[in-house]
Amino acid sequence: MTGQVAWAGKPGYTLRAVTTATKPSPKNAAVIGAGPAGLIAAETLARAGVAVTIHDRMPSVGRKFLLAGRGGLNLTHSEPRDRFLTRYGAIEPLLARAIEHFPPETLRAWADELGQETFVGSSGRVFPKAMKASPLLRAWLRRLDGRGVRFALRHRWLGWDGAGRLRFAQGERESIVQADVTILALGGASCPRLGSDAAWADLLAARGVAIAPLKPSNCGFTVAWSEAMRRFEGVPLKRIALTFGERSVRGEALITREGIEGGGVYALSAPLRDAVARDSAATLHIDLRPDLAVAALAEKLAAPRGKQSLSNVLRKALKLPPAATALLHEATTARGRPLTSLSADEVAALIKAVPVHLTGVQPVATAISTAGGISFDALDAHFMLKAVPGVFAAGEMLDWEAPTGGYLLQACFATGVAAAEGALKWLSPAK
Ligand SMILES: Cc1cc2nc3c(=O)[nH]c(=O)nc-3n(C[C@H](O)[C@H](O)[C@H](O)COP(=O)(O)OP(=O)(O)OC[C@H]3O[C@@H](n4cnc5c(N)ncnc54)[C@H](O)[C@@H]3O)c2cc1C
């Protein structure tokens, strides 16, 4: 069946060819999912001479990748490898091997080759100079096109038919595709409007593939704000430090109507999420002036203030924005003591560690990324599903998580390459 697509229909469905190879090509691969993991897998296969068709349920490719580009497209990170790998927590050896094989330097060289030179920002994060994904994606698609990669868009993968062939729906119609090898790169469960709705989880579980429960990662949390605090919806708290348990990070947070989110919160979101799941709540502490010691704050607060109100002192002498002051009021009101009744030392201590009581985790659909997914135990050493030989998996649908900082895309690219190389091995006669 090499290089061919077979068709079959179901009552009520119209048959329509998606792609038919003109001559028996060496081998054909179906890549399902046109995000970064699927596209790099397709490129790897096409470079090796495999006839590749990329299927995606959406009308255009790389929608989440393009959205990531709105934030500058943090492709990867420049920190030393041993530190880099710790970002994946208890890293699975298979993931570590994939990243060692396609590391940040290689990803940067790859982007360079597409005419998208990268640079290292002050935080060590790596971005394309264009600070967006669209030029890179355009150049990438041109290159894939030049290598003969075909696209079957608006094709929603439905699983397999009884003969092990791939089933796709295009609206009311259904098509069946026979591929020599398949790569699944269907993404996680965040931002389903961009395509990744994780419907694959049930399809794979039905085939005996172990799936770790999908959970929000780099996500926001709910807080039972007072009406006064809700007035600060959409206001960022900048240059703060956030602490949960032993971990502290510098960053910022955004007050939302329902709670709190933003870079600093995301960085702590994995332990916070697990704590909320365990204890139904968790307390995050925010240092509103991380560059000033508590004694220096207390001194400023204790200075004679004349007719100035405490709010004025907080704003003028301590440079706290109104949202930060509101957070202080919120914390003291919750304790039944107005902020104005606190001593200078008490206010200073509160500024250094204002508690924010998290009552829940925002749904995965609103998260930046997804934890959980295809268990590494369900994969062989080449990213092939042990339960479905000839089917490989890559990207965010695998059971790993990482903070923002370029670690997500790096792992998607690296596993996409690893799965494609696994597929090439599978296709080779000496497999
Ligand atoms: C707002 C935002 C900003 C981000 N910024 C960054 C950043 O700067 N740096 C970083 O490292 N990461 C960032 N990320 C995360 C990063 O974009 C994702 O981790 C990455 O896109 C995942 O790649 P993927 O190829 O695994 O899946 P996806 O990009 O989600 O692609 C999966 C594809 O599969 C398709 N699909 C799903 N189900 C089906 C089906 N049944 N049939 C056919 N097709 C299907 C989808 O339509 C989609 O095109 C950001 C995420 C968000 C939401």
Side-chain angles (χ1 to χ4, degrees):
M1 293 302 296
T2 309
Q4 286 179 344
V5 177
W7 305 101
K10 281 183 115 185
Y13 287 102
T14 312
L15 299 182
R16 196 183 74 134
V18 181
T19 156
T20 312
T22 46
K23 59 177 189 223
S25 70
K27 294 283 177 189
N28 86 50
V31 172
I32 314 179
L39 293 174
I40 197 72
E43 182 177 350
T44 308
L45 289 164
R47 277 174 187 250
V50 176
V52 184
T53 301
I54 304 179
H55 306 259
D56 200 288
R57 62 180 281 242
M58 300 302 281
S60 62
V61 308
R63 291 193 170 201
K64 195 178 282 183
F65 189 60
L66 287 170
L67 182 66
R70 287 212 203 140
L73 194 68
N74 182 191
L75 264 183
T76 184
H77 203 287
S78 62
E79 68 195 356
R81 188 70 40 76
D82 48 353
R83 190 161 169 71
F84 188 100
L85 291 176
T86 63
R87 307 300 183 176
Y88 299 91
I91 192 169
E92 162 62 39
L94 203 49
L95 183 57
R97 265 209 309 282
I99 293 174
E100 294 284 4
H101 182 62
F102 191 86
E105 310 82 83
T106 309
L107 179 51
R108 293 186 67 183
W110 169 87
D112 224 18
E113 219 182 271
L114 283 172
Q116 294 300 310
E117 209 184 319
T118 56
F119 73 97
V120 180
S122 53
S123 59
R125 296 174 180 219
V126 174
F127 301 90
K129 283 188 168 167
M131 290 297 280
K132 49 187 178 177
S134 42
L136 191 150
L137 186 59
R138 271 199 304 276
W140 197 2
L141 293 179
R142 272 199 303 275
R143 185 149 86 189
L144 290 174
D145 187 51
R147 292 200 175 269
V149 172
R150 294 159 180 240
F151 286 87
L153 301 177
R154 294 192 170 89
H155 280 60
R156 169 185 264 283
W157 179 57
L158 300 174
W160 293 272
D161 71 0
R165 298 171 303 182
L166 299 163
R167 292 175 55 217
F168 292 94
Q170 303 135 264
E172 292 290 280
R173 294 176 297 204
E174 183 172 326
S175 55
I176 301 289
V177 170
Q178 172 95 51
D180 295 317
V181 76
T182 300
I183 304 224
L184 302 177
L186 299 160
S190 80
C191 303
R193 73 196 153 85
L194 302 176
S196 53
D197 62 359
W200 52 263
D202 289 343
L203 297 175
L204 294 184
R207 290 292 300 260
V209 178
I211 311 285
L214 302 180
K215 295 184 280 193
S217 184
N218 296 302
C219 54
F221 292 85
T222 52
V223 181
W225 295 130
S226 65
E227 273 313 312
M229 195 64 212
R230 285 213 169 116
R231 285 208 292 276
F232 292 93
E233 175 185 0
V235 176
L237 293 164
K238 297 190 172 178
R239 292 179 292 281
I240 55 172
L242 303 92
T243 301
F244 179 64
E246 301 289 296
R247 288 200 56 200
S248 285
V249 295
R250 291 283 186 115
E252 56 180 74
L254 186 77
I255 307 293
T256 65
R257 182 154 186 81
E258 301 304 332
I260 192 161
E261 59 182 47
V265 179
Y266 298 157
L268 297 175
S269 65
L272 284 170
R273 175 199 64 213
D274 295 343
V276 171
R278 192 182 55 240
D279 308 326
S280 305
T283 302
L284 172 70
H285 285 93
I286 297 184
D287 182 346
L288 296 167
R289 284 304 313 265
D291 296 323
L292 273 186
V294 67
L297 288 171
E299 198 182 315
K300 283 176 191 278
L301 285 160
R305 65 168 88 138
K307 288 187 181 159
Q308 283 202 90
S309 66
L310 175 61
S311 292
N312 264 346
V313 174
L314 293 173
R315 183 166 56 85
K316 289 185 182 164
L318 273 66
K319 307 265 184 297
L320 287 187
T325 302
L327 210 53
L328 298 174
H329 282 293
E330 188 84 354
T332 51
T333 308
R335 291 179 195 164
R337 274 184 78 190
L339 186 60
T340 46
S341 71
L342 267 55
S343 68
D345 285 346
E346 285 174 320
V347 176
L350 189 62
I351 290 170
K352 294 299 285 177
V354 59
V356 179
H357 194 60
L358 310 181
T359 54
V361 186
Q362 294 286 8
V364 64
T366 64
I368 297 286
S369 58
T370 309
I374 298 174
S375 158
F376 278 92
D377 289 342
L379 299 171
D380 76 0
H382 303 291
F383 287 81
M384 187 173 81
L385 298 178
K386 290 177 190 163
V388 198
V391 177
F392 295 74
E396 208 180 300
M397 70 187 301
L398 304 182
D399 180 18
W400 55 268
E401 71 174 311
T404 58
Y407 309 104
L408 300 167
L409 284 173
Q410 178 67 53
C412 290
F413 276 92
T415 55
V417 169
E421 290 185 355
L424 289 171
K425 259 192 201 319
W426 168 261
L427 289 173
S428 74
K431 69 173 185 263

